[in-house]
Amino acid sequence: MDTLGYFRDIVTTGRRAEELAAFDGKVVGTFCNFVPEELILAAGAVPVRLCAGDHGAAGEAETFLPRDLCSVVKSTAGLVQRADGLYGRADLLVMPTPCDGKKKLAGLLSSFKPVHILDLPSRKDAPGAKHFWLEQIKALQATLEKLTGQAVTRAGLRAAIELLNRRNEVFRRLHALRRRQPPPYSGEDALFIAQASFSDDVPRWIEHAEALCDELEKATPAANDGPRLLLTGAPIVHPNHKIIGLLEAAGAQVVADEMCSGGQRLYQPAVLRDWSMRAMIEAVAEKVMLPTTCPCFVDGVDRVNRILELAEQFQVDGVVYHSLRLCPLFEIESFGIGRELKERGLPMLTLNTDFSAEDTGQLRTRIAAFVEMVGA
Ligand code: SF4
Ligand code: SF4
């Protein structure tokens, strides 16, 4: 298998589910970047991020959920109910509460599996938010220790932080390669690389990512004069790669993304003041909270700033905003972001869609027009 194909294989096949079916320890399913994987590893369990992009499962969930819910909530509920693969294997689900849909989903899923709810503050800088979040992280630590029967020790947590910071370092090497013109790998490949880390064994992911860096740093890709685009907005998760597939098929080069299912997931390291237990817990809590641009917080300034920073670093010609139908957070935020970017001369296309393929033709037409416009 070629080096890039490894990541695609982890995401698109049942390989990881088979490996974990034979593993006799605990597996912890998480639903977004707010869950510090360091704590799960330090408690002796395996983290798997279970964010869903499966349209079929979303349809199945409509037998016990309202139809007018976002695809993420329906798809997740459908997959947990199906209980196959990693969804069946997870011993515990850790569910942050960014929106009403996820809150109610946490309650619903607790009839299938044990669920630990991770409450989020409504603003990162609200009075008491830091203390509140630390208490949430400590409560998660207690749940994990109870699940595995293994205490999170200083040595264990330090090893987990060092391991995930190594993953972050190699990810940044790969990420930097996308600044080249043309970049040596596609935007969809970038999503496969990031999404393989959702479930893969961490040392093995690092080993393959290092080999890929070594290979791509020497590569000379074929010339490509398609416009350079940045993708932001709601997470795009396999198998719903519809938008990115259409953008690249239209001739665009997706050279950066600003999504929690892509670059945002692996970019930030844990920053330590020292190696005391307290400093390590604070570092993993801050790592998942401070740099996030999730629209669940009142203020959307962080996302605009991050988009502008990436747009400059990666020399992008335009931005595509993926808005998930029936998700008020992403839909509302898209207006302000589009306005801010326009003022700075950066065109933005908003695509409001869901996991179904019904709107593919219409999306293709709009994307072709945008790619032509920014390319000119
Ligand atoms: S958009 Fe926010 S809540 Fe949704 S998965 Fe990403 S980080 Fe989590
Ligand atoms: S897409 Fe929006 S509504 Fe759906 S779960 Fe994520 S934040 Fe909630």
Side-chain angles (χ1 to χ4, degrees), residues 4-20:
L4 261 169
Y6 169 78
F7 299 95
R8 194 177 285 260
D9 187 58
I10 292 290
V11 175
T12 60
T13 71
R15 170 177 176 175
R16 201 54 192 137
E18 281 165 29
E19 287 174 357
L20 288 174

Side-chain angles (χ1 to χ4, degrees), residues 57 75-77 176 214 279 339 343:
S75 180
T76 306
D214 293 343
R339 199 172 46 234
E343 279 170 14

Side-chain angles (χ1 to χ4, degrees), residues 30-32 49-53 72 76 79 87 102 198 237-238:
T30 70
F31 287 91
C32 81
R49 183 170 158 187
L50 296 175
C51 289
V72 173
T76 306
L79 286 164
Y87 290 82
K102 283 255 172 99
F198 283 14
V237 178
H238 181 80

Side-chain angles (χ1 to χ4, degrees), residues 128-198:
K130 183 177 171 188
H131 175 73
F132 174 82
W133 183 236
L134 263 178
E135 292 304 308
Q136 288 295 312
I137 296 299
K138 287 180 195 161
L140 172 63
Q141 178 185 344
T143 299
L144 293 168
E145 289 176 335
K146 196 167 161 208
L147 175 78
T148 61
Q150 180 177 317
V152 173
T153 62
R154 226 176 110 193
L157 187 52
R158 179 172 181 158
I161 290 173
E162 286 176 340
L163 179 67
L164 293 192
N165 277 3
R166 268 180 53 217
R167 182 174 76 175
N168 159 264
E169 257 172 50
V170 65
F171 174 77
R172 284 186 174 219
R173 251 178 91 193
L174 274 173
H175 185 68
L177 291 173
R178 298 175 77 190
R179 295 186 192 191
R180 292 185 181 173
Q181 174 47 27
Y185 62 104
S186 71
E188 187 172 24
D189 288 332
L191 288 186
F192 278 122
I193 293 166
Q195 287 168 27
S197 77
F198 283 14

